[in-house]
Amino acid sequence: MRALARIVAEADPLRGTRLTVLRGEPPLLPRRTGPVGPAGPEREVQLHLVGGAAGPLGGDRLRIEIEVGPEARLCVRSVAASLALPARGGAESRLVVRARVAAGGRLRWLPEPLIGAAGCAHRTTCVVELAEGAALCWREELVCGRHAEPVGDVRLEMTARYGGRTLFRNDLAVGPAAAGWSGPAVLGGARAVGSVLMVDPAWTGSPPPGPAGYDSAVPPGPGAPERAGSPGGAAPEPAAGPGRPEPAVAAAVLPLAGGPAVLVSAVGADARAVRAQLDRALGWPAGLP
């Protein structure tokens, strides 16, 4: 199956943001679900991607194109998790997401997790081009298999550029074809992983603020900061011991050197634990309206 969804958002001084282009093909069906915030130029428009068919299924070629104009505000969500399924012949499914955000515009990409079913072969490639002065909140989550099943082969590639220069690039591969993916250098045995990339021009020239009480379940190593909310790390949960279970989730907060941006990453035993950590990041200035 081949499908294309295209979304174009433009600022409207009276109504806030309006969608000048909104079209899709199954299984990529974008639906406007309402504005966010009070009326006025700062109002954000929100839409949800509705799955018009199962998948992505091996062999599918899916593409989403997003354009956010100057001063426009757009939030893209999905109504449910995506389930990458295998094809009988082992073909790879692919999803490409390309987004452009103009100066003064803001994009929030907040879909539900991707689940890599056993035997699948799937690749997601995301490329985001941000003009100088654009803002972004980009969430990405992966669950390694359905309940009590192994994960298939899944690869997530993400590139973000700010003002024409590369700000962030990440490549995560899990599954039988990715050697060492469950070892301590990658997921460390975790079944779910997620991240939130936030870019806010208000942080230019100053470090991003840390959310109060942000903590990690991994004890810090030598030289780690002792104060919760520090951008380079956070205070740990109390160490595991008698009567206390091993930590179910761990998180890291990393300011990026290439621009006014911060990356929050989390790994955990399940999607709910990871989402709970990432939700804290969404309270930052770039995360919510």
Side-chain angles (χ1 to χ4, degrees):
M1 180 182 295
R2 293 180 179 271
L4 170 67
R6 179 161 171 76
I7 303 156
V8 178
E10 296 182 359
D12 185 314
L14 297 178
R15 295 178 294 173
T17 299
R18 60 192 180 96
L19 297 172
T20 57
V21 177
L22 183 64
R23 66 172 183 263
E25 302 167 327
L28 302 174
L29 300 176
R31 297 290 186 262
R32 176 170 175 160
T33 51
V36 177
E42 294 294 316
R43 173 180 278 185
E44 176 184 76
V45 66
Q46 178 176 264
L47 62 87
H48 281 72
L49 293 170
V50 179
L57 179 67
D60 287 354
R61 298 292 184 267
L62 312 177
R63 184 179 180 91
I64 302 173
E65 298 178 353
I66 302 171
E67 187 171 343
V68 180
E71 308 303 325
R73 306 284 187 268
L74 174 65
C75 179
V76 181
R77 300 178 182 271
S78 64
V79 297
S82 299
L83 178 61
L85 295 168
R88 185 169 296 178
E92 181 183 67
S93 57
R94 296 182 183 177
L95 168 64
V96 175
V97 183
R98 298 192 68 94
R100 298 175 61 89
V101 186
R106 182 180 67 196
L107 170 63
R108 295 197 298 147
W109 173 263
L110 302 171
E112 295 305 306
L114 169 67
I115 303 171
C120 76
H122 176 78
R123 181 188 300 248
T124 295
T125 301
C126 301
V127 179
V128 183
E129 300 280 354
L130 302 167
E132 200 91 29
L136 176 73
C137 178
W138 190 276
R139 184 175 69 200
E140 195 169 60
E141 296 169 295
L142 171 65
V143 179
C144 297
R146 292 170 289 192
H147 178 68
E149 78 170 5
V151 66
D153 288 311
V154 180
R155 186 162 195 154
L156 305 180
E157 302 170 333
M158 168 67 178
T159 300
R161 300 186 182 94
Y162 184 79
R165 63 188 183 275
T166 299
L167 172 65
F168 175 72
R169 184 157 190 171
N170 186 58
D171 188 339
L172 172 65
V174 303
W181 70 271
S182 61
V186 188
L187 296 191
R191 295 275 298 172
V193 57
S195 65
V196 174
L197 171 65
M198 289 180 291
V199 182
D200 191 336
W203 297 337
T204 302
S206 61
Y214 201 100
D215 32 65
S216 164
V218 171
E226 298 179 357
R227 180 175 58 86
S230 176
E237 296 279 358
R244 182 177 180 82
E246 290 293 325
V249 65
V253 183
L254 305 172
L256 302 183
V262 66
L263 176 71
V264 180
S265 300
V267 296
D270 55 44
R272 185 175 65 175
V274 168
R275 175 66 65 85
Q277 284 286 358
L278 297 183
D279 278 350
R280 299 192 186 190
L282 298 183
W284 289 22
L288 295 175

